[in-house]
Amino acid sequence: MKKTFLSAVAIAAALAMPGSPATAQTNEITIGISVTTTGPGAPLGIPERNALDFVAKEIAGVPLKVIVLDDGGDPTNATTNARRFVTESKADIIMGSSTTPSSIAVSNVANEAGIPHIGLSPFPITPERAKWSVTMPQPVSIMGKVLYEHMKAHNIKTVGYIGYSDSYGDLWFNDFKFQAVPMGMTVADEERFARPDTSVAGQVLKLVAANPDAILVGASGTAAALPQIELRERGYQGLIYQTHGAASMDFIRIAGKAAEGVIMASGPVMDPEDQPDEAQTKKPGLAIDTAYEAKYGPNSRSQFAGHSYDAFLVLERIVPVALKTAKPGTGEFREAIRQALLSEREIAASQGVYNFTEKDRYGLDDRSRIILTVKDGKYMLVK
C-alpha cells in the first residue's frame, strides 16, 4: 500500500482543517476504512478486516484502492483516521468504524467533508449526520422488536438490563423503553459496564437481587459473554437475551456452558444454510461464510465479517451508477455515490436486503434478522 509522507507541520495543519478535500480526477476509487483491530473492540474489527480478503478488487473495470487503519476503538483515533482519509488519501468513500462511539466520530468527519460514509456498527444517525452516512448493521429497533416479541410470547413482565456505559448501551436501553415498555414490560434494574472491564460481579449481584423474569444484555463482541457467564455462575435461572452485537462463534467459545439457552438476535449471515432457497440473503451469506471459514477455520463465521463484506456488495451496485455521471477523485463522483445509495433498490447482501432512503439510513426490514439459541454448544434457529 502506498503511503503519503508530509512534514509534521503539514500533517498537523491538514488534520486540523475541516471541509471538503481537493478534487483531482483519478483512475481508481479510493476507499478509506477505519476499523478496530486492537483493544476491547478487536473481536468486532478483526473479522471486518479479514472479510476484505473476499471483496471486489475492482468495480465496473475501475480498480479499488483500499486503505485500512486501526482506531483501537477510540473515537479520537477514529476522527484522526477519517481526517487522514479526507486530507491525505482524498478518499471517495469512507467506511467504519467497528464500535458505535467511533462510528459517530467517523460520520461527523465524513459529513463535515462531504464524503459518502458507510458505517460498520449501529449508531444514531442524527440530522447533522444524515446527509452522507448510511450504515450496514441492522438498526436496534428491528433487532430489539424480535427479542421483545419473544419475551412477550413467554410472558416476561420484568426485565433487568446490563449494557455498555456508552452510546451502544444507550441505544439498546432507550429502545427497550420505547418498544418493550408499551408491550407491558418494565425495567427491574439497569446496570452498566465499560468495554474494557474484566468483571461485572457487582452489577450482576444487583440484577440477581432484583429477580427479573429475564435479563437483556446490551453489549457486543466477546465482552457480551462476561455478564452471561457471571449471571449463570450467580445462579440466575431466567432467560438471558443478547443483542446482535454478540452474534459470533467467539461468544460460545468464551461463554462455554453459560451460553446454553441464550436467546440472541442475529443477522441471517450466521445461518444461511437454514434459509429458504428464495431468501435473497442466502446466496451472499453462503458465499462469505464458505470463503471465511475456508481461510480462518471451521466455525469462524462472524456477523461482523458480514458487515464489511456487504458494504462492498452495496458498492458493486451503486458505483456503476455513479460512474455514468462522474469520475473518481471528484466532488461530483462523491455526490453521485450519495445519490446512487438512495436510488438503488433491493440490494441483496448477507445481512439483509438494502433500500436506503433519505429518512432510513439503515435501509433494512425484517429480512435482516433471525433469532438464535445455543444448544449443546451450537447455534440453532429459534422457530
Side-chain angles (χ1 to χ4, degrees):
M1 179 177 68
K2 294 181 180 178
K3 296 183 179 179
T4 301
F5 294 93
L6 301 175
S7 70
V9 174
I11 291 175
L15 296 181
M17 289 178 63
S20 300
T23 60
Q25 182 176 315
T26 68
N27 294 319
E28 60 187 2
I29 297 168
T30 300
I31 303 170
I33 306 177
S34 181
V35 288
T36 303
T37 55
T38 57
L44 288 68
I46 290 174
E48 290 171 347
R49 182 197 61 194
N50 290 347
L52 299 178
D53 294 343
F54 316 112
V55 303
K57 301 302 184 285
E58 64 175 43
I59 298 176
V62 180
L64 304 182
K65 179 182 179 181
V66 178
I67 304 167
V68 182
L69 298 178
D70 173 34
D71 56 40
D74 184 335
T76 301
N77 293 341
T79 298
T80 299
N81 288 349
R83 291 206 181 282
R84 287 183 62 184
F85 297 146
V86 173
T87 58
E88 294 182 26
S89 307
K90 306 297 188 292
D92 297 295
I93 299 157
I94 297 176
M95 294 184 189
S97 178
S98 310
T99 65
T100 296
S102 294
S103 290
I104 293 172
V106 175
S107 178
N108 287 339
V109 174
N111 276 270
E112 178 185 81
I115 296 178
H117 165 234
I118 300 176
L120 300 178
S121 65
F123 69 99
I125 303 181
T126 54
E128 63 270 19
R129 293 193 285 269
K131 182 174 181 180
W132 292 96
S133 288
V134 299
T135 193
M136 303 310 297
Q138 303 84 344
V140 169
S141 58
I142 286 178
M143 304 306 266
K145 182 181 177 183
V146 72
L147 294 183
Y148 313 143
E149 288 174 344
H150 187 277
M151 292 177 186
K152 186 174 181 178
H154 287 75
N155 201 33
I156 301 297
K157 299 295 185 183
T158 58
V159 178
Y161 179 78
I162 179 168
Y164 284 149
S165 53
D166 63 21
S167 46
Y168 185 81
D170 293 343
L171 279 173
W172 272 97
F173 186 64
N174 291 337
D175 187 72
F176 179 86
K177 291 189 294 183
F178 181 75
Q179 290 201 83
V181 170
M183 294 170 67
M185 284 162 267
T186 59
V187 180
D189 183 43
E190 177 197 356
E191 301 294 332
R192 300 297 187 103
F193 67 104
R195 291 175 186 260
D197 286 353
T198 57
S199 173
V200 291
Q203 296 94 317
V204 164
L205 285 172
K206 293 178 183 178
L207 284 169
V208 172
N211 195 31
D213 297 330
I215 291 173
L216 173 63
V217 181
S220 59
T222 53
L226 187 62
Q228 183 84 23
I229 296 168
E230 191 71 30
L231 282 162
R232 292 310 189 205
E233 288 183 348
R234 296 291 177 176
Y236 182 73
Q237 298 299 314
L239 288 174
I240 302 175
Y241 291 82
Q242 291 275 355
T243 73
H244 57 316
S248 72
M249 295 299 182
D250 282 341
F251 177 84
I252 297 178
R253 179 177 59 82
I254 298 296
K257 291 183 179 180
E260 294 289 308
V262 67
I263 304 296
M264 181 180 292
S266 172
V269 74
M270 291 301 293
D271 188 20
E273 293 86 353
D274 289 322
Q275 295 173 39
D277 290 341
E278 65 270 18
Q280 291 173 267
T281 51
K282 183 168 188 171
K283 184 177 179 180
L286 288 171
I288 178 58
D289 287 351
T290 300
Y292 198 94
E293 293 186 346
K295 181 167 185 177
Y296 295 103
N299 297 322
S300 59
R301 69 182 59 180
S302 165
Q303 175 156 277
F304 311 109
H307 296 328
S308 53
Y309 180 79
D310 287 356
F312 280 80
L313 293 183
V314 169
L315 291 182
E316 287 186 53
R317 279 284 298 275
I318 66 171
V319 164
V321 177
L323 287 170
K324 292 178 182 178
T325 60
K327 299 293 184 182
T330 66
E332 291 79 8
F333 182 70
R334 290 185 280 273
E335 174 61 20
I337 289 287
R338 189 185 76 82
Q339 293 287 348
L341 276 169
L342 303 178
S343 64
E344 289 299 292
R345 290 288 169 265
E346 294 291 285
I347 306 174
S350 73
Q351 290 279 61
V353 181
Y354 291 89
N355 291 282
F356 298 111
T357 69
E358 289 283 4
K359 293 184 178 180
D360 184 1
R361 295 300 176 147
Y362 285 82
L364 292 169
D365 55 25
D366 286 351
R367 291 173 289 180
S368 69
R369 91 288 185 273
I370 58 176
I371 187 167
L372 300 172
T373 189
V374 174
K375 184 177 181 180
D376 299 327
K378 296 180 180 179
Y379 282 118
M380 297 182 62
L381 277 178
V382 174
K383 299 180 179 178

mmCIF file of all heavy atoms in Angstrom, residues 2 41 75-76 139 190 202 237 263 265 363-364:
data_model
loop_
_atom_site.group_PDB
_atom_site.id
_atom_site.type_symbol
_atom_site.label_atom_id
_atom_site.label_comp_id
_atom_site.label_asym_id
_atom_site.label_seq_id
_atom_site.Cartn_x
_atom_site.Cartn_y
_atom_site.Cartn_z
ATOM 1 N N LYS A 2 0.633 2.168 -0.882
ATOM 2 C CA LYS A 2 1.400 3.393 -0.964
ATOM 3 C C LYS A 2 1.058 4.304 0.209
ATOM 4 O O LYS A 2 -0.060 4.382 0.665
ATOM 5 C CB LYS A 2 1.104 4.122 -2.273
ATOM 6 C CG LYS A 2 1.564 3.359 -3.514
ATOM 7 C CD LYS A 2 1.252 4.149 -4.763
ATOM 8 C CE LYS A 2 1.705 3.406 -5.993
ATOM 9 N NZ LYS A 2 1.371 4.149 -7.221
ATOM 10 N N GLY A 41 -12.473 -3.733 21.394
ATOM 11 C CA GLY A 41 -13.358 -3.895 20.245
ATOM 12 C C GLY A 41 -12.773 -4.750 19.131
ATOM 13 O O GLY A 41 -13.407 -4.936 18.086
ATOM 14 N N PRO A 75 -12.650 6.923 19.788
ATOM 15 C CA PRO A 75 -13.236 7.916 18.881
ATOM 16 C C PRO A 75 -12.247 8.986 18.420
ATOM 17 O O PRO A 75 -12.355 9.486 17.299
ATOM 18 C CB PRO A 75 -14.378 8.517 19.705
ATOM 19 C CG PRO A 75 -14.748 7.450 20.680
ATOM 20 C CD PRO A 75 -13.449 6.774 21.022
ATOM 21 N N THR A 76 -11.284 9.330 19.279
ATOM 22 C CA THR A 76 -10.274 10.314 18.880
ATOM 23 C C THR A 76 -9.408 9.767 17.749
ATOM 24 O O THR A 76 -9.130 10.457 16.760
ATOM 25 C CB THR A 76 -9.391 10.707 20.079
ATOM 26 O OG1 THR A 76 -10.220 11.261 21.109
ATOM 27 C CG2 THR A 76 -8.346 11.727 19.667
ATOM 28 N N PRO A 139 -30.652 -1.949 12.377
ATOM 29 C CA PRO A 139 -30.979 -0.991 13.428
ATOM 30 C C PRO A 139 -31.457 -1.710 14.678
ATOM 31 O O PRO A 139 -32.053 -2.794 14.612
ATOM 32 C CB PRO A 139 -32.103 -0.154 12.812
ATOM 33 C CG PRO A 139 -32.721 -1.034 11.792
ATOM 34 C CD PRO A 139 -31.595 -1.875 11.248
ATOM 35 N N GLU A 190 -31.326 -1.441 36.086
ATOM 36 C CA GLU A 190 -30.425 -1.063 34.998
ATOM 37 C C GLU A 190 -29.011 -0.983 35.517
ATOM 38 O O GLU A 190 -28.735 -0.261 36.487
ATOM 39 C CB GLU A 190 -30.818 0.292 34.395
ATOM 40 C CG GLU A 190 -29.861 0.764 33.300
ATOM 41 C CD GLU A 190 -29.988 2.249 32.993
ATOM 42 O OE1 GLU A 190 -30.864 2.906 33.580
ATOM 43 O OE2 GLU A 190 -29.187 2.748 32.174
ATOM 44 N N GLY A 202 -20.367 -6.940 40.651
ATOM 45 C CA GLY A 202 -21.234 -6.048 41.413
ATOM 46 C C GLY A 202 -22.550 -5.795 40.717
ATOM 47 O O GLY A 202 -23.629 -5.833 41.334
ATOM 48 N N GLN A 237 -31.546 -18.148 36.827
ATOM 49 C CA GLN A 237 -32.137 -19.204 36.022
ATOM 50 C C GLN A 237 -33.078 -18.690 34.932
ATOM 51 O O GLN A 237 -33.583 -19.483 34.131
ATOM 52 C CB GLN A 237 -32.912 -20.172 36.937
ATOM 53 C CG GLN A 237 -32.051 -20.884 37.957
ATOM 54 C CD GLN A 237 -30.981 -21.744 37.303
ATOM 55 O OE1 GLN A 237 -31.253 -22.496 36.361
ATOM 56 N NE2 GLN A 237 -29.749 -21.635 37.798
ATOM 57 N N ILE A 263 -30.956 -16.453 24.277
ATOM 58 C CA ILE A 263 -31.800 -16.029 23.166
ATOM 59 C C ILE A 263 -31.113 -14.822 22.532
ATOM 60 O O ILE A 263 -30.885 -13.809 23.192
ATOM 61 C CB ILE A 263 -33.224 -15.658 23.624
ATOM 62 C CG1 ILE A 263 -33.865 -16.820 24.378
ATOM 63 C CG2 ILE A 263 -34.073 -15.233 22.435
ATOM 64 C CD1 ILE A 263 -34.076 -18.064 23.545
ATOM 65 N N ALA A 265 -30.597 -12.170 19.135
ATOM 66 C CA ALA A 265 -30.912 -11.609 17.823
ATOM 67 C C ALA A 265 -29.662 -11.703 16.960
ATOM 68 O O ALA A 265 -28.541 -11.540 17.451
ATOM 69 C CB ALA A 265 -31.353 -10.162 17.955
ATOM 70 N N GLY A 363 -31.856 1.159 5.953
ATOM 71 C CA GLY A 363 -32.352 0.556 4.728
ATOM 72 C C GLY A 363 -32.767 -0.898 4.818
ATOM 73 O O GLY A 363 -32.834 -1.580 3.798
ATOM 74 N N LEU A 364 -33.039 -1.396 6.029
ATOM 75 C CA LEU A 364 -33.330 -2.810 6.209
ATOM 76 C C LEU A 364 -34.743 -3.036 6.738
ATOM 77 O O LEU A 364 -35.363 -2.136 7.298
ATOM 78 C CB LEU A 364 -32.316 -3.433 7.176
ATOM 79 C CG LEU A 364 -30.878 -3.521 6.659
ATOM 80 C CD1 LEU A 364 -29.929 -3.905 7.787
ATOM 81 C CD2 LEU A 364 -30.767 -4.515 5.511
#
